[in-house]
Amino acid sequence: MTFIVVEGPEGAGKSTLTRWLTARLLAEGRRVLTVRQPGGTPIAEAARKLALKSKHEITPAAELFLFLAARADLVDRVVRPALDDGQVVVADRYDLSTLAYQGAGRGLPRVEVEAALRLATGGLVPDLTLVLDVPVAVGRERQQRAQKEQDRIEVQDDAFHERVRQAYRTAAGPGIVHIDASQSKHFVQDAAWRAVQAVTAPSLRGVT
């Protein structure tokens, strides 16, 4: 069982890399489950809609618990069973998003956010977290080119997103790998695949 997470600020290419990694792992004969966060279960999708699309004002603490309600349900109902079944789980966002957005971005106390995260996930830690990095301006430009409709997080000002980015850039610990996502798509994919090879079964190591 291997738990891989793709993280990073807006416009970094998380969803694109998540899809690519899933396809590459499937091509290598692995059983793969891909999840997005928040989302993935009826409860998590309902929380996602409230957290990202609500027209009502949401306090930072309420926002935190909406995201964590979604994560708790997804981890319990989907992620842990898949890992126990021997699948590779590839997630678009996980715990670093909470620390970056609700911690650094919204200003909630890190220690308390970390405690809430442990409760929501039961202490489940990824084997590998790929942190993509792009400047805020580059991320916004990419989203504009894609004509992506912005949610209530994405529309926050540049100062908010700069705090989020810096939180990601300073993230450190076992399994965290930083990738410069302002480089070419192939550069990002190659760097990500080398990191994946290091944490997956020996059958994948040496694949180029």
Side-chain angles (χ1 to χ4, degrees), residues 133-182:
D133 177 52
V134 292
V136 172
V138 173
R140 286 201 185 279
E141 181 182 350
R142 289 178 176 181
Q143 289 186 313
Q144 289 169 358
R145 285 203 308 265
Q147 297 183 322
K148 184 180 184 297
E149 181 181 355
Q150 292 190 316
D151 60 39
R152 57 178 297 277
I153 302 293
E154 291 165 336
V155 300
Q156 299 300 307
D157 62 22
D158 285 355
F160 172 89
H161 287 289
E162 190 59 44
R163 292 194 298 274
V164 169
R165 184 193 179 207
Q166 291 306 317
Y168 276 126
R169 287 170 63 87
T170 57
I176 295 178
V177 175
H178 292 266
I179 299 175
D180 181 358
S182 65

Side-chain angles (χ1 to χ4, degrees), residues 15 23 35 49 54 60 112 117 137 152 164 168 172 177 193 199 205 208:
S15 298
V35 296
K49 184 176 180 179
S54 176
E112 294 180 19
L117 273 169
R152 57 178 297 277
V164 169
Y168 276 126
V177 175
W193 186 246
V199 298
R205 293 176 187 153
T208 58

Side-chain angles (χ1 to χ4, degrees), residues 3-176:
F3 185 20
I4 300 168
V5 176
V6 181
E7 289 274 13
E10 307 302 331
K14 296 178 298 299
S15 298
T16 299
L17 182 60
T18 298
R19 289 192 296 268
W20 184 85
L21 285 174
T22 298
R24 183 72 185 262
L25 286 162
L26 287 170
E28 298 298 330
R30 302 300 298 265
R31 293 186 301 134
V32 185
L33 174 70
T34 304
V35 296
R36 70 170 183 175
Q37 297 193 42
T41 70
I43 289 175
E45 291 293 338
R48 177 189 181 91
K49 184 176 180 179
L50 280 171
L52 298 181
K53 302 297 184 182
S54 176
K55 303 301 182 184
H56 301 289
E57 183 177 348
I58 301 176
T59 67
E63 181 181 275
L64 169 69
F65 286 111
L66 282 171
F67 283 122
L68 292 186
R71 185 161 306 142
D73 200 56
L74 181 71
V75 168
D76 185 62
R77 295 179 184 272
V78 178
V79 175
R80 282 191 184 277
L83 292 172
D84 290 343
D85 188 45
Q87 298 182 57
V88 177
V89 176
V90 182
D92 183 341
R93 294 196 182 281
Y94 192 61
D95 53 354
L96 281 188
S97 283
T98 308
L99 293 170
Y101 283 84
Q102 283 70 54
R106 298 299 193 195
L108 292 174
R110 182 182 178 94
V111 172
E112 294 180 19
V113 173
E114 288 176 333
L117 273 169
R118 287 193 296 271
L119 182 62
T121 64
L124 180 65
V125 177
D127 298 290
L128 173 66
T129 301
L130 300 168
V131 182
L132 306 185
D133 177 52
V134 292
V136 172
V138 173
R140 286 201 185 279
E141 181 182 350
R142 289 178 176 181
Q143 289 186 313
Q144 289 169 358
R145 285 203 308 265
Q147 297 183 322
K148 184 180 184 297
E149 181 181 355
Q150 292 190 316
D151 60 39
R152 57 178 297 277
I153 302 293
E154 291 165 336
V155 300
Q156 299 300 307
D157 62 22
D158 285 355
F160 172 89
H161 287 289
E162 190 59 44
R163 292 194 298 274
V164 169
R165 184 193 179 207
Q166 291 306 317
Y168 276 126
R169 287 170 63 87
T170 57
I176 295 178

